[in-house]
Amino acid sequence: MNREDLEHIIRAAGDVTGEYEFIVVGSQAILGPIPYPPDVFKFSAEADIYPRGAEEKSELIEGALGEGSQFHTTYGYYAQGVDSTTAQLPLGW
């Protein structure tokens, strides 16, 4: 996955959820601050994402953009709808 793919996922998630702010966690979060990282960081075909302030809509993302969806079949990458409990950060992070 590259930065353009992630941006596509975010736009599609916006269409599906009606939201416009998203949190990306996991390995593809690197594509936010570093749009063109070394190739070793771009092997994943999925982005873990949830709408900021509307985590319950993650199920919509999973259904429409998730693994095995028409979106995945068409583009070769997909979104995994997650929530704020997916990534647990250390205190003070």
Side-chain angles (χ1 to χ4, degrees):
M1 179 176 303
N2 59 43
R3 172 71 174 258
E4 291 78 19
D5 300 338
L6 179 60
E7 290 174 353
H8 182 211
I9 285 174
I10 292 169
R11 285 191 308 274
D15 290 343
V16 168
T17 64
E19 300 295 325
Y20 64 94
E21 289 187 338
F22 295 88
I23 307 294
V24 179
V25 299
S27 62
Q28 297 313 297
I30 193 171
L31 296 172
I34 304 172
Y36 304 104
D39 287 344
V40 69
F41 294 104
K42 300 186 292 185
F43 284 115
S44 180
E46 56 90 16
D48 300 322
I49 183 172
Y50 64 91
R52 182 177 182 195
E55 295 179 39
E56 70 281 359
K57 293 183 179 180
S58 290
E59 292 179 16
L60 298 173
I61 294 170
E62 186 71 30
L65 310 175
E67 187 172 13
S69 67
Q70 184 64 44
F71 183 91
H72 182 200
T73 302
T74 301
Y75 299 106
Y77 51 86
Y78 61 96
Q80 184 171 15
V82 297
D83 62 32
S84 60
T85 65
T86 300
Q88 296 293 319
L89 300 175
L91 290 176
W93 181 268

